[in-house]
Amino acid sequence: KDFGMERVIVVADRGLNTSDNTAFLSGVNDDDSQGHDGYVYGQSVIGGDKKFKKWVLDKKDYTTDREIDENGEEFFFTHKSRVFAKTVTLKSSNGNRTLTMPIYQKQMVYYSSKYAAKQRKEREHILEKARDLINNPGKYTKATCYGATAYIKNLSFTKETGEIADSKNLSLNIEKIEAEAKYDGYYSIVTSEKHLTDKQIYEIYRGLWKIEETFKIMKSELNTRPLFVSLAEHIEGHFLICFTALVIIRVLEHLTEHRFSVKQIRKSLNSYSCSYLDQNFYLFDYRDEFLETSERLFNLDLGKKIMALSEIKNILKAKK
């Protein structure tokens, strides 16, 4: 209301893809059933129902487009979509989940060979742990075998100690492993915005990665935490500086067409410094590709190895 925003489109991973959230954003719980807000959610393929998984594996209607990512690298986007009436179950007036209703959404599924390789690698890592548990059950308890339990048959634990109760008949659940492997590389996204193309849905959802990357940058590259100040105004000042630096780095990323990583940009800016020689002359002993690109972007001349103080001041004055 403060900013005059009429619609909010929530972008979230599959953890928030619940019936309650979907219904709320679709407006079906309100007196105004039009639902002014919307959503773009990730959706688990393996966790879907039989009809959905059958649709995912059906090769019919898949198309492959050649795309260029923000780094200028080519990739192939294999995808298909449909508008589908998803049935959600909500609480009725008596508090029980007995109220069911359809919500029309666009479901998009895409396949990535890189994602398939990543999933296979992650599963193999868990299976190594599961095999070791089967061969050496005494090494594990319920608390230490997290992840591997899903792939082991006949596994149970004692309630008191969490130790494995019976290790005689443990074996890998081959059926489950093979069933999951069929969906390697597939990922689904669902949205209320039925007019969006598959590529638009994919790009919007990828924005989540940018947000997560931003938090990593704040923590690692910009040293947002830990804090070494305690007064409220000092804490606010610290975060203001960090966020301002983040905005500047993101602008530089955009202007340089994402040719340089945040780490490269930060290293270049930190490394471009000078040493005092004599009689107001300074030595600049660092240069790299990012600085050369910045010169062209901002019409700067940073190529001189030695500059007088007056030259440095003129550069700063001209670019204020």
Side-chain angles (χ1 to χ4, degrees), residues 139-233:
K139 289 170 52 178
Y140 294 88
T141 64
K142 188 174 183 179
T144 60
C145 64
Y146 179 79
T149 56
Y151 298 109
I152 302 176
K153 287 183 176 180
N154 306 314
L155 182 62
S156 61
F157 302 92
T158 58
K159 189 175 181 180
E160 295 77 15
T161 64
E163 295 176 331
I164 295 174
D166 184 2
S167 60
K168 292 180 180 179
N169 299 310
L170 300 180
S171 63
L172 284 179
N173 190 336
I174 303 299
E175 296 82 3
K176 181 180 178 64
I177 296 168
E178 291 177 347
E180 288 190 2
K182 290 191 296 185
Y183 303 100
D184 285 351
Y186 291 98
Y187 197 87
S188 179
I189 305 170
V190 298
T191 179
S192 57
E193 310 307 288
K194 295 181 284 294
H195 62 283
L196 293 177
T197 66
D198 292 2
K199 185 65 166 48
Q200 287 173 320
I201 297 170
Y202 175 75
E203 289 297 335
I204 291 170
Y205 188 73
R206 282 189 71 208
L208 272 181
W209 170 82
K210 210 67 177 172
I211 295 170
E212 291 169 358
E213 185 203 29
T214 294
F215 283 114
K216 291 179 182 178
I217 291 168
M218 295 288 287
K219 291 177 183 178
S220 58
E221 298 298 328
L222 301 181
N223 298 322
T224 307
R225 299 182 70 182
L227 290 172
F228 297 101
V229 291
S230 56
L231 296 179
E233 57 266 33

Side-chain angles (χ1 to χ4, degrees), residues 271-319:
S271 300
Y272 185 71
S273 59
C274 58
S275 305
Y276 179 69
L277 292 176
D278 193 16
Q279 299 179 355
N280 283 335
F281 282 95
Y282 291 81
L283 172 67
F284 291 82
D285 56 1
Y286 183 83
R287 191 165 178 78
D288 63 18
E289 188 181 356
F290 172 76
L291 294 174
E292 292 173 356
T293 303
S294 299
E295 284 182 304
R296 294 190 293 272
L297 280 172
F298 302 109
N299 193 25
L300 292 170
D301 182 9
L302 305 177
K304 291 184 178 180
K305 199 162 187 178
I306 296 176
M307 278 196 277
L309 180 60
S310 58
E311 291 179 280
I312 298 172
K313 288 183 175 179
N314 285 337
I315 291 174
L316 295 174
K317 183 178 179 181
K319 295 303 171 185

Side-chain angles (χ1 to χ4, degrees), residues 115-126 128 184:
Y115 185 49
K118 178 177 179 290
Q119 288 182 298
R120 284 193 292 268
K121 186 175 180 180
E122 289 175 350
R123 186 187 302 106
E124 185 54 39
H125 178 71
I126 296 173
E128 285 181 16
D184 285 351

